[in-house]
Amino acid sequence: MASAIAVRATQLGRRTLVLTVDPAKRLATALGLELGSDQDHRVPLTNVSGELSAAVIDSKKVFDGFIAKHAQQADVVARIMKNRLYQQMSTTLSGSQEFTALERLLQATESGKYDLVVLDTPPTKHAVDFLTAPQRINSLFQDSITRWFMSPNDSSTGFFGKIVGRGTRVALKSLETLTGAQFIEELIDFFAAVRSVQSVLRERSERVHQLMTGPQTGFVVVTSFDAAKLMEAKYLQGELDRLGYRLQGAIINRAFPEGVPDHLLEAPDNVDPQVYGKVLDFYKQFKEYHSVRYNLYEEFSKGLPSSVKVVRVPEYQRDVYGLSDLENLANIL
Amino acid sequence: MQATKQAAATAWKGRKIVFVSGKGGVGKSLVAAAIAQEETRAGRKVLLAEIGDTSYYKDFWNLPHVGHDPVATKAGFDIALWNGESCLREYVLFYLRLQRLYSLFFENKVMKSLINVAPGLNEIAILGKITSGVRKVGPPMHYDLIVVDCYATGHALALLQAPKGMMEAIKFGPMGHHSREMEAVIENQSICGYVVATLLEEMPVVETLEFCEKLKTQVGVDSSVIANKILSLPVEEAQLNQLKTQDPRGLGEFAKYLDAIFDRQRELFALLEKSVSRLARVPFIFSADPEVLVKKTGEALRET
């Protein structure tokens, strides 16, 4: 859906970039994306006045690039890259995706190359983690906190050093009891190493937060005709509101297509009445099933502020195979 | 090459833990609930564990509250909602024993921030809880089976890989030890089963196949695939095609719609059949009633 929004913006003449974390293969092929490249690719759309680019976010590359750029000294870069927790964080462990996606978003908006950047976020449960990532990163890399994890070799303070309050000392000691000395050592090394980039990290996370809460940024919730999914979307809407983000649109996917008008539901003479009856019963069952969902959707739509645009995308849309399918979807949007 | 066929239920029959994942929106929570119900019906004591900060089942079953501690459902199994912080809290309280120390730990600003962003800590805490019964670590859990309504595919893979990542980084001490134990449980397929739910649509199917492949190569486990919401035609395909031309402005329109879905389903089901060894189908269920949905999905899984 993020790609279709980007195509629509391109149709409207804007220079657009769509950033995605984990695209399906055919969609990636359609957009000309190469996994692991992390480069912006021009997508060959014809008959549009704008320009469309697309990129897959490669967490490891973004992370390593960020460290290499901001740590400045080669030995510091090497130390961070060597830290085993950093290696795990920037490759296999989740949690880093939020940071790298937001960093990539900021880079793209600051490049001046695009009028619109569309970021495909993870599904709902992780979307909230995603939205709070700037504050979480900011709170962790405050100087007052990283100081607690300074190296024991640092003569001014040291781990469990003088500046640590008694409460923190006890809490850290408890963590050491539970996880072991090696884990704590790696943590100390991790925080000591990233301390050199903490001011940049803090500054970047503040800028991301400003960007995300600013008037130039809007959020679009994609949901479907399903009670629980609509409840999830409602929850996300509440979270967006609470965190100061602006919801601008809701896309309801897999809506039942417009039904057949009642006056046309009469068996023509040339049709086997038994066949017609069976298909008609099935159609009625289908229509009833979707009308229940339609009521839920109505309820959901009424609960949204009037500034939020709601779009229904019909069920009969076939799968997105290529650019022409994306353009069809964009036309509906 | 076509793999030897096995029943999809191999993923949960006789297992102690089953992880259910899938692309967002394909019905994985429903499949997880149906497995929980079927195994309860078979006489096992089952916990359905949700992972995350918000409960899907709370609204699904209109329950007053779903939190870390299990609550009973009308269906006969229990439900709990686990996240990194709640699992770590329980673990810390269990081992530190002293409430005062525990409060100090969690009310501390450093700890709060650290738990949120320390690499891998959340994942290890959640997997630690899921596997704690089998590993006999922490508070006892009296369940024969834990059905985990896991994250969607990408995050599920990160969760399942966390112990391996952690044990490579931390070899010694309790963290290294627990990570090795968790890894051994996750890889042991007589203990853990893996289920991937999908719709018969292009993107979910492609994502399912990629995820199954990664489970195999990166986690070292086999998985069962559940194809959800499969439509059956009310008449023969030829009759449907005839209706399309005989009544093009009326019911023929609906026939066209059904035929397109049916073609897509057939093509994608064949692709799954060719690629996975354990495959089950769940029909499209014309109901919004959670009890009906879970019951009928369970019945379909029973026949696999």
Side-chain angles (χ1 to χ4, degrees):
Chain A
M1 203 57 79
S3 304
I5 292 172
V7 169
R8 181 66 191 142
T10 313
Q11 290 171 343
L12 294 172
R14 307 186 76 188
R15 295 173 304 157
T16 311
L17 171 70
V18 57
L19 289 171
T20 177
V21 176
D22 192 13
K25 259 187 192 156
R26 282 203 195 182
L27 184 65
T29 310
L31 291 172
L33 295 171
E34 281 173 38
L35 296 170
S37 79
D38 196 53
Q39 296 296 313
D40 298 0
H41 287 262
R42 267 301 282 282
V43 181
L45 276 183
T46 50
N47 300 325
V48 289
S49 48
E51 293 169 2
L52 177 64
S53 299
V56 181
I57 299 167
D58 183 318
S59 253
K60 173 111 182 97
K61 279 194 177 153
V62 175
F63 229 130
D64 289 353
F66 178 87
I67 298 293
K69 183 176 173 191
H70 298 292
Q72 290 168 349
Q73 290 161 299
D75 59 328
V76 177
V77 175
R79 184 180 175 189
I80 296 175
M81 300 286 174
K82 227 176 75 188
N83 181 272
R84 281 175 286 199
L85 282 179
Y86 172 79
Q87 286 167 3
Q88 292 306 324
M89 183 172 80
S90 60
T91 52
T92 57
L93 299 176
S94 70
S96 59
Q97 276 189 351
E98 286 92 356
F99 166 74
T100 48
L102 291 172
E103 173 58 24
R104 188 73 170 76
L105 174 72
L106 194 59
Q107 286 172 10
T109 54
E110 287 176 343
S111 72
K113 290 195 285 189
Y114 304 106
D115 302 319
L116 178 71
V117 181
V118 183
L119 176 66
D120 189 8
T121 73
T124 319
K125 284 186 179 177
H126 279 87
V128 177
D129 281 352
F130 191 85
L131 299 174
T132 53
Q135 292 99 309
R136 281 186 292 127
I137 291 166
N138 200 10
S139 68
L140 189 75
F141 288 100
Q142 278 171 26
D143 192 51
S144 58
I145 290 178
T146 51
R147 272 197 295 168
W148 282 318
F149 286 94
M150 281 174 70
S151 160
N153 299 325
D154 189 325
S155 58
S156 64
T157 54
F159 183 50
F160 301 161
K162 295 181 196 109
I163 59 144
V164 176
R166 188 178 165 274
T168 300
R169 270 209 308 276
V170 176
L172 286 172
K173 194 73 200 159
S174 305
L175 185 67
E176 186 178 355
T177 308
L178 292 169
T179 60
Q182 198 200 355
F183 181 70
I184 296 292
E185 271 168 31
E186 288 290 337
L187 263 186
I188 293 166
D189 190 58
F190 173 76
F191 281 102
V194 297
R195 200 169 178 231
S196 61
V197 293
Q198 80 176 61
S199 61
V200 185
L201 264 171
R202 199 170 54 234
E203 186 227 337
R204 299 292 285 176
S205 63
E206 277 167 10
R207 270 156 72 181
V208 164
H209 187 246
Q210 278 168 9
L211 175 73
M212 285 166 70
T213 51
Q216 71 276 50
T217 303
F219 286 78
V220 176
V221 173
V222 181
T223 184
S224 63
F225 269 73
D226 172 287
K229 289 285 157 206
L230 287 170
M231 288 293 258
E232 271 183 14
K234 208 172 164 189
Y235 166 76
L236 187 61
Q237 182 214 338
E239 286 298 289
L240 286 169
D241 200 36
R242 186 176 68 79
L243 296 163
Y245 300 128
R246 272 186 332 129
L247 180 65
Q248 282 198 301
I251 298 175
I252 322 285
N253 213 353
R254 298 198 186 109
F256 184 53
E258 294 300 325
V260 182
D262 284 348
H263 71 275
L264 293 175
L265 284 176
E266 237 173 78
D269 296 338
N270 58 346
V271 177
D272 177 344
Q274 223 181 349
V275 169
Y276 192 89
K278 280 183 185 172
V279 178
L280 183 63
D281 285 348
F282 196 69
Y283 170 74
K284 284 179 178 165
Q285 221 179 348
F286 226 77
K287 208 175 163 192
E288 170 61 24
Y289 172 84
H290 283 90
S291 72
V292 172
R293 274 154 179 76
Y294 186 79
N295 294 339
L296 295 168
Y297 150 74
E298 289 267 276
E299 212 175 291
F300 172 74
S301 302
K302 275 184 202 153
L304 293 172
S306 56
S307 57
V308 178
K309 289 198 166 56
V310 181
V311 180
R312 290 166 56 195
V313 177
E315 167 95 57
Y316 59 74
Q317 278 300 309
R318 69 187 197 95
D319 293 324
V320 176
Y321 283 95
L323 278 181
S324 60
D325 293 325
L326 273 181
E327 285 176 297
N328 288 338
L329 198 51
N331 289 335
I332 292 169
L333 296 179
Chain B
M1 196 177 76
Q2 192 152 340
T4 312
K5 296 294 168 194
Q6 290 177 310
T10 308
W12 58 88
K13 291 281 170 208
R15 304 288 177 268
K16 290 194 171 299
I17 299 166
V18 55
F19 292 90
V20 184
S21 182
K23 183 175 164 62
V26 299
K28 73 176 174 55
S29 300
L30 175 63
V31 167
I35 292 172
Q37 174 146 309
E38 278 307 292
E39 288 302 286
T40 303
R41 198 180 148 272
R44 301 178 79 193
K45 188 157 173 52
V46 179
L47 174 71
L48 177 57
E50 288 184 88
I51 306 299
D53 296 324
T54 49
S55 172
Y56 171 86
Y57 299 116
K58 179 180 169 293
D59 297 321
F60 190 69
W61 275 303
N62 205 14
L63 296 167
H65 176 73
V66 176
H68 183 86
D69 295 326
V71 289
T73 66
K74 280 191 290 183
F77 52 83
D78 292 352
I79 293 188
L81 173 68
W82 294 339
N83 59 38
E85 190 182 333
S86 75
C87 294
L88 200 60
R89 265 176 192 275
E90 185 185 61
Y91 179 76
V92 169
L93 183 60
F94 187 80
Y95 281 99
L96 294 183
R97 305 280 179 191
L98 292 173
Q99 181 72 38
R100 192 183 62 80
L101 208 56
Y102 159 83
S103 302
L104 203 61
F105 192 89
F106 276 101
E107 281 159 22
N108 187 281
K109 199 175 157 194
V110 185
M111 284 303 140
K112 276 189 174 171
S113 300
L114 185 66
I115 290 161
N116 271 330
V117 298
L121 203 56
N122 265 295
E123 287 86 352
I124 293 294
I126 291 167
L127 273 180
K129 175 65 183 168
I130 293 168
T131 59
S132 66
V134 178
R135 296 184 297 121
K136 299 189 171 30
V137 171
M141 284 207 289
H142 305 289
Y143 293 101
D144 301 319
L145 174 69
I146 298 176
V147 181
V148 183
D149 179 19
C150 201
Y151 296 134
T153 52
H155 279 83
L157 194 68
L159 176 76
L160 294 168
Q161 286 180 307
K164 190 177 276 175
M166 190 59 85
M167 69 191 221
E168 278 167 14
I170 310 294
K171 294 203 165 33
F172 308 106
M175 187 61 104
H177 170 73
H178 287 309
S179 300
R180 274 193 300 280
E181 274 192 355
M182 284 177 218
E183 176 68 3
V185 172
I186 284 168
E187 283 181 354
N188 187 334
Q189 293 185 76
S190 61
I191 297 173
C192 289
Y194 298 85
V195 171
V196 189
T198 186
L199 295 176
L200 290 181
E201 292 173 12
E202 165 83 0
M203 286 207 270
V205 166
V206 170
E207 193 166 312
T208 295
L209 293 176
E210 287 171 0
F211 182 57
C212 290
E213 181 62 22
K214 285 177 184 167
L215 280 177
K216 184 78 190 160
T217 55
Q218 295 175 24
V219 186
V221 295
D222 296 314
S223 45
S224 291
V225 173
I226 312 290
N228 193 21
K229 285 190 169 184
I230 299 185
L231 268 182
S232 299
L233 294 182
V235 293
E236 295 293 323
E237 205 180 348
Q239 292 172 321
L240 197 74
N241 279 327
Q242 215 173 10
L243 186 62
K244 284 197 293 195
T245 51
Q246 287 168 330
D247 188 16
R249 289 182 61 230
L251 210 50
E253 269 295 313
F254 181 62
K256 257 191 241 169
Y257 165 77
L258 277 185
D259 193 40
I261 292 180
F262 194 69
D263 275 351
R264 180 183 71 193
Q265 284 187 170
R266 187 167 40 201
E267 182 195 329
L268 292 169
F269 195 79
L271 177 65
L272 285 174
E273 267 193 315
K274 202 173 75 178
S275 316
V276 301
S277 58
R278 302 184 205 148
L279 178 62
R281 51 169 84 213
V282 172
F284 193 100
I285 300 159
F286 288 101
S287 174
D289 181 340
E291 277 180 40
V292 174
L293 286 168
V294 174
K295 183 170 171 280
K296 292 201 169 175
T297 303
E299 284 168 2
L301 294 179
R302 200 183 306 160
E303 289 158 15
T304 66

